[in-house]
Amino acid sequence: MPLAPEKKTDIIKDFARQDGDTGSPEVQIAILTARIQQVATHLRANKQDKHNRRGLVQMVSKRNRLLRYLSRTNPDAYQATIKKLGLRK
């Protein structure tokens, strides 16, 4: 269940630092957040799906690592990103 290409390009446009930026921590965090929401809704309907649950845990931990990195290197961008995504930190 990958993200729809249109949705992914919208996310990249919203969080990119400059044109063509797809690898900055802000973009990666935003894309992971969208995937986490998508997999979480899938798991609510399919409670026995242990394989996707493991993938969800991996995505959440990767997002947490990226958030920690961003908070260390650029606190202003960190605050803006969590506010824009509505994350609790």
Side-chain angles (χ1 to χ4, degrees), residues 48-88:
Q48 296 84 19
D49 193 351
K50 303 298 183 198
H51 293 77
N52 276 335
R53 187 169 307 281
R54 180 177 187 269
L56 177 68
V57 169
Q58 288 176 333
M59 284 188 280
V60 168
S61 67
K62 181 172 180 117
R63 183 178 69 179
N64 283 336
R65 285 194 308 269
L66 285 167
L67 283 167
R68 273 199 316 269
Y69 168 78
L70 189 60
S71 70
R72 259 194 342 261
T73 59
N74 193 349
D76 296 331
Y78 169 76
Q79 289 297 329
T81 303
I82 62 170
K83 189 173 198 173
K84 202 179 226 187
L85 291 172
L87 297 176
R88 294 178 297 154

Side-chain angles (χ1 to χ4, degrees), residues 21-37:
D21 175 24
T22 58
S24 67
E26 295 94 335
V27 173
Q28 291 182 48
I29 290 166
I31 290 173
L32 276 171
T33 300
R35 280 286 291 138
I36 287 168
Q37 291 169 349

